Amino acid sequence: MPAATPVLLVSDHVAGAVHLLTVPDGAVAGRLTGRHLSEHAGFLALPGGRVACVDDRRGELLVLDPFAGQLVERTVPVAVPAEHLACDPSGRRLAVTTGLGKNSEPWSDLLTVVDLATGEAARVRTRAGEPGVTVLGGGDPLVVLRHREPGALAVHRFADLLGAPPGCPRVVPHAVLALPDDGHGDAYVPGPELVFAATSQGVHRARRTGDALTAEAVVPWGSSARGWYLRFDTRRQALWTTLRGGDPDPLRWPEWSNQAWRHELGTGRTLLTELGPGLVFRLALARRHTAFSRIHPDGDELILLDADGAARRFPLPGMDGAPRRGGTPWEGVQRRAVAASPGSDWIAVTRGGHGEVHIVHAETGQEAARPRLSTPLHHGGHLVLRVRNDGADGDPVGR
């Protein structure tokens, strides 16, 4: 497949299928079956257009190369249920945390670290929760776990974890930096070695100093709402999230407010853009646009923000089984996933339950194709869009 050809991996984690599509025509170029990928851990961009993800049923880390003749490049056993997935800037050293899965409360405390260059892997015990993770690069890589209740950034040396003896021993952090108890959302910017964690207070920032972290000033939300998700924009050198406000009761979801939040790392400027009420989940970063899907009983839409923060809105056809008034947006309903590449102007958004993917050009807003897949994409599925050398691996945290 030519290096400049955008490709789309579409995971139906309920049906256990991964579809490979070419963009923009939506043609099916490959398929995996019997693979139930962790939607929560998501896809992790690796160098060369490759992608890492976790099969939650088989307990395997998958390294996929959508540009090669054989889609699966490597598999490595890891502990599940996978909560979060991250790698160091080289894409060589990976970490997978465990937590909730299909359980009502976190129960697993296992952390797996993997060295793709040597094939080595080790499992250790940390503490039960829903830990986020970042893997800092350099001569001695560090694994930073973001814990909740009590909140903390726990720092471990990667080499110590990889060298742990068999039997999943409990490990003690090399260094700890306190956080509020409600952290959710992680980002890592490799150049300045900055780690970010979202809490109700704002975005906590810490800089690597040797084998530890030093706290820096908290970035305020600038709103009464908060973000639950952080994403590093490699092209614009900015952090992104969606601020969700209003009554937190899931039954009130149609009234939730949503704002796109962008914080420019160079200038320190924060920009807010109103997205409208309802459910806005993950976002996607294209070459010159940022994409959001908004679900609401009065109609769904794809929202594209340009570099100046101007929003264009495009209606999306409704979903059978979509969240409704009086119910929650999480249990037994259909949703949407959105994907883009910093090396492309194409956006993909799913229509959960229908097996459809809308492929839209961000500059024109025109839909180029709407392939219907052989599985329904329950819960909206999950997507990643790659161009071989798009720079997406500059964000080393799974999404």
Side-chain angles (χ1 to χ4, degrees), residues 93 113-115 118-122 124 157-165:
R93 303 169 184 90
V113 291
V114 177
D115 187 329
T118 65
E120 293 176 278
V124 297
R157 295 187 183 95
F158 188 93
D160 293 344
L161 300 178
L162 193 63

Side-chain angles (χ1 to χ4, degrees), residues 297-387:
D298 295 337
D300 298 356
E301 60 185 6
L302 173 67
I303 305 171
L304 301 179
L305 301 188
D306 64 19
D308 297 323
R312 290 184 297 154
R313 301 170 181 268
F314 306 92
L316 295 170
M319 298 177 291
D320 297 334
R324 301 186 184 279
R325 289 186 172 91
T328 80
W330 310 123
E331 286 81 26
V333 294
Q334 303 299 345
R335 292 187 292 272
R336 300 184 186 275
V338 63
S341 162
S344 170
D345 292 313
W346 294 104
I347 308 289
V349 59
T350 63
R351 188 183 182 203
H354 297 260
E356 292 183 350
V357 181
H358 305 268
I359 299 177
V360 178
H361 196 271
E363 294 289 346
T364 66
Q366 296 298 309
E367 183 176 272
R370 191 187 302 180
R372 181 184 287 269
L373 304 177
S374 58
T375 63
L377 300 181
H378 279 311
H379 307 162
H382 198 38
L383 304 172
V384 64
L385 199 155
R386 293 298 311 265
V387 179

Side-chain angles (χ1 to χ4, degrees), residues 69-148:
Q70 184 171 332
L71 183 55
V72 179
E73 177 183 289
R74 174 177 291 190
T75 63
V76 180
V78 296
V80 291
E83 193 75 19
H84 290 285
L85 168 66
C87 66
D88 74 330
S90 73
R92 169 182 168 176
R93 303 169 184 90
L94 288 80
V96 181
T97 66
T98 58
L100 197 66
K102 294 295 184 183
N103 302 276
S104 58
E105 59 185 40
W107 61 276
S108 176
D109 60 358
L110 289 175
L111 164 69
T112 308
V113 291
V114 177
D115 187 329
L116 291 180
T118 65
E120 293 176 278
R123 300 183 194 186
V124 297
R125 294 179 58 197
T126 57
R127 65 178 171 94
E130 298 176 79
V133 63
T134 50
V135 184
L136 283 55
D140 187 5
L142 302 177
V143 175
V144 179
L145 301 178
R146 188 257 313 139
H147 289 293
R148 294 196 291 185

Side-chain angles (χ1 to χ4, degrees), residues 13-80:
H13 52 280
V14 178
V18 181
H19 309 270
L20 173 63
L21 309 181
T22 55
V23 176
D25 60 2
V28 177
R31 188 169 183 260
L32 297 176
T33 57
R35 290 295 188 178
H36 298 261
L37 303 189
S38 168
E39 190 270 344
H40 197 280
F43 287 110
L44 172 64
L46 298 177
R50 298 173 303 141
V51 173
C53 50
V54 177
D55 184 330
D56 247 352
R57 174 170 283 183
R58 295 194 188 187
E60 288 183 333
L61 172 76
L62 300 179
V63 177
L64 307 179
D65 189 345
F67 298 95
Q70 184 171 332
L71 183 55
V72 179
E73 177 183 289
R74 174 177 291 190
T75 63
V76 180
V78 296
V80 291

